[in-house]
Every structure is written in structure tokens, then in C-alpha cells.
Amino acid sequence: MKKLPKRYERFIFALLMSFGTALIVSGAITFLHNAPAAIFIEIWLSSFLTAWPIVFLSISLIAPQINKLIKILVESN
């Protein structure tokens, strides 16, 4: 399988992390708000599609700053 160039690493990380995060959080919130079982998936999908772009932009903007902070707080060998 051909791999993507290293320059896409941050974008791919944000894309995959935001997908997983938005999927889990939107599902949990939909469940906690007692969505009827018959339409749970429909409500969850709608919530996920709203949340994913927001989470993606958040991770894209915040991750570089958090990485800088981690480098300050954590010892490097």
C-alpha cells in the first residue's frame, strides 16, 4: 500500500481523531437524552454529522498548541 507523505500527518491525525471523538460523544449524548430506540441511529447520525466538523476544526487548531505544551512539561530522553 502506498503511504501518504509526512506533510499530511497532522491533517490525517485530526481527521481520524475527530471522527472517533465525534462518533463516541454524539452517540453517548444521544443515548443519555433517551432517544427512542426506533430512531436512535438517525438522531445519532445527524448529531455526528453536526459534531464532526466542529471537532475536526477544534483538534486542528488546538493540537499544535497542546503538543508545544507537552514538550515543555514532559522530559525528553
Side-chain angles (χ1 to χ4, degrees):
M1 181 172 114
K2 187 174 179 180
K3 293 186 177 185
L4 295 169
K6 180 97 171 135
R7 68 178 178 267
Y8 295 114
E9 185 174 14
R10 283 188 182 174
F11 176 79
I12 298 297
F13 171 81
L15 188 69
L16 295 175
M17 180 62 112
S18 65
F19 178 87
T21 303
L23 191 67
I24 292 166
V25 172
S26 63
I29 290 172
T30 301
F31 177 79
L32 291 173
H33 283 259
N34 298 314
I39 59 170
F40 177 81
I41 298 297
E42 181 181 337
I43 295 171
W44 185 7
L45 180 59
S46 175
S47 299
F48 167 72
L49 291 175
T50 301
W52 191 13
I54 296 167
V55 177
F56 175 75
L57 288 173
S58 298
I59 289 173
S60 296
L61 296 172
I62 295 170
Q65 302 308 317
I66 291 183
N67 283 330
K68 288 179 185 177
L69 179 59
I70 290 169
K71 287 180 182 179
I72 291 170
L73 298 173
V74 177
E75 274 186 39
S76 62
N77 293 332

